[in-house]
Amino acid sequence: MRIYLDHNATAPLGLEVREAMLPFLGPPANPSSAHREGARARSALETARAEVAALVGAAPAEIVFTSGATEANNLALRGTAAGLGIVTTAIEHASVLETARAVGARLTVVPVDREGRVDAGQVVAACDAATRLVSVGLANGEVGSLAPVAAITAGLRGNGVLVHSDAAQAAGRLPLDVAALGVDLLSLSAHKLGGPAGIGALWVRRGVELAAQTTGGSQERGRRAGTENVAAIVGFGVAAARARAELAANAAAAARLVERLWTGLRTHVPGVVLNGPADGPRLPNTLNVSFPGAAGESLLVLLDLAGVAVSLGSACAAGAAEPSHVLLAMGRDRDAARSGVRFSVGPSTTAGDIDRVLELLPALVAQARGEAAA
Ligand SMILES: Cc1ncc(COP(=O)(O)O)c(C=O)c1O
């Protein structure tokens, strides 16, 4: 049996999710059609929209389905701030950072501290009269730090700056409420919380002007043209409902497993270094560590051969052997930024999985250190 500790890259599709999707993977299901088949698809689409909205405390009409958080981030930035001033942080997902670089007329990238924490005051201070949009991710999927988004929106209230947050890693793992956060736009992804890949959403506060980036149809209230992927959206809805119902229990279980792993690592693997916040609020399911002298890539391969799936950081950077931009932003040198190994657990992870990893790791780290020394 393989042990899957890479839920931040993608989580396994929930069984209920799969069951709910199957009836929409066959019969015609175009929600824009006027006939009975169209009405069935429309009704399923709106049920899912209500579930996704409920996950973040929003109104269903404010949800725009997209192909994932990457597209939601693109839509948020390109749709509100093309050619205008953007403020973001150095540890954002590439779909925010690269898009901000591409479309922002003036871009300010706010640094983070050594534990990957964003300072709200620094973000607010980085805004000036030319700033149209601030984009700060709620939870960093590589190291698990949480950004003080509510403090940022409070600091900016009344000055006309829009605030967007990428919540792809936070949704289903932390309670989310758009009103409490005070944001204007929020990105979501289904496959991080047990839904299918290729579907996500952008929540857009009522009244926020958003320029559609995909045109040629009136779907999603004219904000994203194209026939909806109803099966995927239905899956997203069921995954969102489940994540909401099980949020507290899942978060508590994940935090216990991560604590078990971190305590075990400190006991059994000499020299292990934590990458991420040592205390205070953090993503409950994520632990990023380095084993100085052992290349992250070697460990990933050794763990994989031993039946354990982990990641070097963001999946998008994996395989590229590039140092993690998040660890670089946290002040690590290029070697240290290549040595981070991310463990991310999910509802299917057991204490037995963690114990097995703790059994395997001391020898694998020693082996990776030997390879590095050879
Ligand atoms: C913070 C964050 N934003 C966006 C994405 C991209 O999401 P999607 O795969 O739905 O496009 C990811 C996935 O790795 C992520 O971790």
Side-chain angles (χ1 to χ4, degrees):
M1 267 293 272
R2 291 201 38 104
I3 296 175
Y4 185 75
L5 299 181
D6 201 11
H7 287 250
N8 288 9
T10 195
L13 192 72
L15 279 182
E16 282 170 58
V17 173
R18 186 170 177 278
E19 288 298 307
M21 289 173 68
L22 288 175
F24 292 91
L25 286 169
N30 186 338
S32 301
S33 300
H35 42 61
R36 195 176 295 182
E37 286 82 353
R40 171 178 173 265
R42 207 153 48 245
S43 156
L45 178 68
E46 294 315 319
T47 301
R49 195 186 304 283
E51 292 295 2
V52 171
L55 183 65
V56 297
E62 298 169 322
I63 295 290
V64 181
F65 285 115
T66 63
S67 63
T70 298
E71 187 191 330
N73 289 339
N74 270 267
L75 180 56
L77 271 65
R78 294 176 191 274
T80 63
L84 300 171
I86 299 178
V87 171
T88 188
T89 85
I91 59 167
E92 298 306 314
H93 188 262
S95 55
V96 167
L97 269 176
E98 284 181 25
T99 306
R101 282 192 198 109
V103 307
R106 197 145 64 86
L107 175 65
T108 307
V109 179
V110 176
V112 296
D113 72 8
R114 287 193 65 81
E115 298 189 4
R117 290 178 302 208
V118 174
D119 180 77
Q122 256 181 295
V123 175
V124 172
C127 296
D128 61 20
T131 308
R132 175 64 179 147
L133 180 76
V134 167
S135 180
V136 178
L138 210 47
N140 183 275
E142 266 188 65
V143 299
S145 53
L146 304 186
V149 173
I152 292 170
T153 59
L156 289 171
R157 193 150 298 138
N159 69 1
V161 174
L162 294 175
V163 180
H164 163 249
S165 189
D166 176 354
Q169 293 288 355
R173 299 180 181 145
L174 302 168
L176 286 187
D177 180 76
V178 287
L181 286 170
V183 290
D184 301 290
L185 304 124
L186 189 92
S187 299
L188 298 168
S189 174
H191 71 108
K192 311 287 184 185
L193 46 88
I199 192 74
L202 180 66
W203 167 80
V204 187
R205 180 187 298 287
R206 194 186 317 262
V208 169
E209 266 183 48
L210 181 83
Q213 301 300 300
T214 315
T215 52
S218 60
Q219 291 91 349
E220 300 302 285
R221 295 181 166 76
R223 293 174 293 187
R224 202 263 192 180
T227 304
E228 300 87 345
N229 183 346
V230 176
I233 290 171
V234 165
F236 188 8
V238 173
R242 235 185 88 180
R244 187 160 66 100
E246 296 168 6
L247 187 105
N250 283 345
R256 277 196 300 274
L257 292 170
V258 163
E259 186 53 38
R260 188 182 189 98
L261 179 58
W262 177 228
T263 305
L265 286 177
R266 273 182 303 175
T267 314
H268 300 299
V269 191
V272 62
V273 174
L274 177 69
N275 300 314
D279 48 32
R282 50 173 299 120
L283 209 48
N285 76 320
T286 307
L287 185 73
N288 189 314
V289 291
S290 295
F291 304 95
E297 263 179 317
S298 309
L299 263 179
L300 183 140
V301 171
L302 291 170
L303 279 165
D304 193 31
L305 291 173
V308 182
V310 299
S311 168
L312 288 185
S314 70
C316 322
E322 278 296 306
S324 148
H325 75 283
V326 174
L327 295 181
L328 286 176
M330 289 163 59
R332 306 297 191 273
D333 63 28
R334 291 180 73 80
D335 277 345
R338 274 199 202 89
S339 76
V341 177
R342 178 186 71 186
F343 300 88
S344 51
V345 305
S348 54
T349 311
T350 65
D353 293 341
I354 300 298
D355 292 346
R356 175 76 186 129
V357 170
L358 288 170
E359 222 172 83
L360 289 166
L361 260 175
L364 297 184
V365 170
Q367 193 178 341
R369 283 178 171 152
E371 279 175 14

